[in-house]
Amino acid sequence: MGRILEIQRLNFRYPDSRKKAVVDFDLEVSEGEVVVLAGPSGCGKSTLLRAVNGLIPHMYTGEYSGEVKVAGSSVKDSSMRDLAQTVGFLFQNPENQIFMFTVERDVAFGLENLGVEREEMRRRVDEAIRLLGIEDLAQRAPHELSDGQKQRVALAGVLAMSPKLVILDEPTSLLDPRTAMELVDLVSRLRKELGTTFVVVEHRLELLVKVADRLVVMSGGTKVLDGTPRDVLFGDEAEGYGISVPAITRVQKMLAKDRLAPTERLLTAEELAARLGRGAA
Amino acid sequence: MMWLSGGFVFRRGTSVYHRLDPRVKLLISLLMFSVTLMVQALYQLAMVISVMVAVAAVATVLRRVARTMLLTASFSGFIFAINLLATGNLASSALYAVRFVAIVVSTSLFFITTSPDELEQVMKTFRLPRDVVFAFVTAVRFIPVMMLDTLQIMDAQKSRGLELEKGNLLKRVRNMVPILIPLVVNSVIRSGELAEAMESRAYGAVPKPTSLVKYRARPVDKAVTVLAILLFALTAYSFYFLLPAHFP
């Protein structure tokens, strides 16, 4: 599998700040991977994401060094127009990324901007609407939608541009637990159906460990941990960086001291239930 | 303010009139507006208003238009009084007063039957720059969001002891400051996020963006256009040449 994202020694400092927001950051992401990025607020996650989709350095200027490559081309040398078609960005607040008066028109927004022909646009808009299961919302106005629905609409608008890499910035922060779960299932389905790569910033790790291939932890603008969710969460350092280690993992870590925990290092409630059920039988 | 919002806010409808091409609806409203200015006698104005009422009936917005007329009438009373005091002419003062109602109704008919989406289309027809059209679109799009924002800020400030309804006029105006400042700050933050999202979705990538929907004038649109222009010409001609200006 090819590399969809390569970040080499990225450094970035905003003009009005003395401290660097991102320091010597390295990351490689393969096509089709789901990578979760965690870390305390203000650790540079948002800056990093903006460096991947080109808002840095194209919209925000500052002290920039290192290299970010998406699908083989340097972000610095690509236009926002090209980047918009390879990197999709779902921002934290869906409200502020829906522009038009009807859902359907908004899903088409990016394609209209790119000058895509009407028939082709219609096909891609319908496809994105179908993928997210929002057919019944197509003619609604944004203010008639719930937060969860707005998020789906915003994601449809991103997917209509058929990006290879999709960035989700704290996608569940405004959602209730059930809708949040649905979003996670959606990510897993889209990865399967479209082969899209996802980079997800998220605090609620217990939701995402199910679908994540990798967990990257950031602190102070740099990468401190990188591995499978199992390795990172069961490692000794995870708690120290202020990320929310899921309860299932914590319980096993506590029990491990008394040699009571299963040795498989189970990540989800389902895994633990299956293991304990078998053990009891 | 209530009569204004009630009289000009679009609500979804399925009538024949709602489904007309937005440009045709604009033309009809403009023609009605012009005729209103040509009227020289009250009975002529009554004719024009009855046409408007007929259009409102076709558009199934008769009740809303009737309410607008009633609410505008109070303001008309004021116009009537001023005119009567200034000129002493009962007929012309009444004409001015009723004409005001007709003008409001003709414009309101356009806005209550035309969706923001269609308004955008009309603006594009006039070849306004994309940025101008988009600024209009986002402004209208965020009206409900800002209204919700305002209510939340008002609740937050009231819960901290701000008494909005207390004091004299000056005090009440000053009370608005703790509402306005957070509202402005919110909007500035929001506009920054909007700009990021626009960039990320290739806003301004090509000089001539395409459009998902195309409004094409159907035969019925063309027929209505011809009919409206004919009726307008006939009315204008009869007002000036056939009908006496001072009908008893």
Side-chain angles (χ1 to χ4, degrees), chain A residues 50 53 60 80 84 91 95-99 101 104-106 109-110 112-113 115-116 118 121 142 144, chain B residues 12 116-117 120 130 134 137 141 145 190 193-194 196 199-203 206 209-212 214:
Chain A
R50 280 161 180 74
N53 97 320
Y60 298 104
M80 274 315 281
F91 293 86
E95 185 83 77
N96 295 344
Q97 46 196 315
I98 299 175
F99 306 105
F101 304 114
E104 186 181 81
R105 290 286 315 275
D106 190 76
F109 180 72
E112 291 185 352
N113 288 333
V116 174
R118 188 167 293 123
M121 181 157 35
E144 298 170 323
Chain B
R12 224 165 277 170
D117 232 7
E120 181 206 353
R130 162 101 165 143
F134 190 70
V137 167
R141 148 80 179 92
V145 180
R190 191 185 298 288
E193 290 184 15
L194 278 171
E196 283 192 327
E199 282 288 325
S200 304
R201 279 166 80 190
Y203 181 80
V206 293
T210 42
S211 177
L212 180 69
K214 182 165 174 65

Side-chain angles (χ1 to χ4, degrees), chain A residues 132-177:
Chain A
L132 285 149
I134 48 171
E135 290 93 338
D136 50 331
L137 306 179
Q139 298 306 325
R140 293 264 196 99
H143 62 88
E144 298 170 323
L145 305 175
S146 70
D147 282 338
Q149 289 172 332
K150 277 181 201 155
Q151 187 130 41
R152 277 175 183 251
V153 170
L155 190 54
V158 168
L159 290 178
M161 300 173 85
S162 10
K164 293 198 185 78
L165 171 66
V166 172
I167 295 171
L168 309 177
D169 191 0
E170 299 193 24
T172 71
S173 59
L174 294 174
L175 305 182
D176 59 74

Side-chain angles (χ1 to χ4, degrees), chain A residues 117-130:
Chain A
E117 289 297 320
R118 188 167 293 123
E119 290 78 36
E120 163 80 357
M121 181 157 35
R122 173 49 69 190
R123 196 181 57 70
R124 285 166 72 174
V125 166
D126 289 348
E127 173 70 8
I129 285 179
R130 188 192 62 76

Side-chain angles (χ1 to χ4, degrees), chain B residues 211-227:
Chain B
S211 177
L212 180 69
V213 283
K214 182 165 174 65
Y215 289 89
R216 207 175 272 122
R218 296 164 301 155
V220 57
D221 295 315
K222 289 173 189 160
V224 171
T225 307
V226 172
L227 205 68

